[in-house]
Amino acid sequence: MSDEAIEYDASHIQVLTGLEAVRKRPGMYIGSTGERGLHHMLFEVADRAVNEALTGRAGSVGVTLTADGGVRVADDGPGIPFGAAEDADGPGLEAMLTELSAGAGPRDRHSAMMAHFVGEPAVTNALSSSLTAEVRREGVRWVQEYARGVAVTRPTAVGPATGSGTTITFRPDATLFGTVECSFAVLAERFRELAFLNRGLDISLTDERPPGGPQTARFRFLGGVRDFVVSLRARPGTPVHTDVIGFEQEDPRMAGTMEVALRWCGSREERVRSFANSMATPYGGTHEAGLRDGVAAALDAYARARGLLTAADPGLGADRIGEGLTAIVSVKLDHPEFVGATRGVLGNGPVRTCVEEAVREHLGAWLEQNPEQAVDVITEILRADALD
């Protein structure tokens, strides 16, 4: 190493403020500058619209991939004013689009998280070459234009409005991204999943880009996670051993609610998916551990009571009950706690006990009421163990 002194003082420190920091390091805010980051930009805006619908302020949400490469997110809520208003829940739209942390909003059991970072419309604005905000409110249509996060016009009344709502249209900045093409299939899967997890949510996705004409998919499910489990079909010809077993329950000990659905099929494949506040937790957490504990406890108790297991047999632990199991566990919490910045693992301690007890009770009752299906499930699990 050189003996020459290395000088470092305040002149070497670069201070980035506001949206300038987002444009300088976009990956820190949306995860990547590839397709995944593009989708996250959309989720930053759709997050607000979806939660308008979940709180009953809006009836539906529409997302459009426009023919010119833009993205449009619209809702039919009351319309968020550009400035703060007495009847507005949170900051005005202009603040949400220009100030970090202004658009995150409350995160309780009544809100959905669209992606693994907190929803920030300002991030989308910063990373867009252009963005147009339109508000239809109290009979007037207001519009404001932005470029790379900076307002280029003032909010302007441009005429009468038909209905009410808020529409955000943006074009990702091609100088920042490796691709500016969103995937219809990936987005459709996420919105479909969101509709399963929030019974009655009405959300549509339209793609205007195909040369053969637009394609549209609309998602709305009234059966909740029961419908979700049914949609996770096993391979053709695979026998189904049980009906869908499901329940919803609130538990004040975990300050939230749980919704669980499961069934067994004649396959060795296990498909267990977990969600917290409508966001996937791909690495599990306390809710998924509680599900497995509860299933194992219910099956083991039933098997011993019916003589399918003797006192000398090892118990049906959580590591043995996955044979042919398809399950969804979704919890919605007032104060979700995650392990790690990307929110892939739920960490709320009380959730494990609450979910375990509820699953053990509800599945135990189902086993008693459906002895033939119960025996089929346990027999298959024990047979699989013997083959291993």
Side-chain angles (χ1 to χ4, degrees), residues 15 19 36 61 130 140 149 157 160 176 181 199 215-216 221 232 234 239 254 259 263 282 298 326 337 358:
V15 179
L19 301 187
R36 182 165 63 95
V61 177
S130 64
V140 180
L176 299 176
E181 290 288 323
R199 186 181 289 105
Q215 60 175 323
T216 298
F221 303 102
L232 299 175
M254 69 180 201
E259 187 175 3
R263 73 174 176 184
T326 297
E337 299 172 1

Side-chain angles (χ1 to χ4, degrees), residues 98-118:
T98 56
E99 299 175 13
L100 294 178
S101 299
R107 293 297 177 188
D108 60 17
R109 74 179 76 179
H110 304 294
S111 63
M113 294 179 179
M114 286 290 294
H116 286 83
F117 296 86
V118 175

Side-chain angles (χ1 to χ4, degrees), residues 163-248:
S164 63
T166 304
T167 300
I168 304 293
T169 305
F170 65 91
R171 290 177 61 88
D173 191 339
T175 66
L176 299 176
F177 292 91
T179 177
V180 290
E181 290 288 323
C182 291
S183 166
F184 180 88
V186 171
L187 294 175
E189 179 61 25
R190 176 59 179 128
F191 294 145
R192 180 170 176 265
E193 178 182 272
L194 197 66
F196 278 131
L197 297 170
N198 296 277
R199 186 181 289 105
L201 175 65
D202 189 348
I203 185 167
S204 63
L205 175 65
T206 299
D207 191 350
E208 296 179 343
R209 301 169 302 176
Q215 60 175 323
T216 298
R218 182 185 176 192
F219 307 102
R220 185 170 182 265
F221 303 102
L222 300 181
V225 300
R226 285 176 174 269
D227 286 350
F228 202 163
V229 164
V230 171
S231 77
L232 299 175
R233 297 182 180 88
R235 287 187 294 272
T238 301
V240 176
H241 291 316
T242 67
D243 303 323
V244 176
I245 309 152
F247 67 90
E248 285 184 78

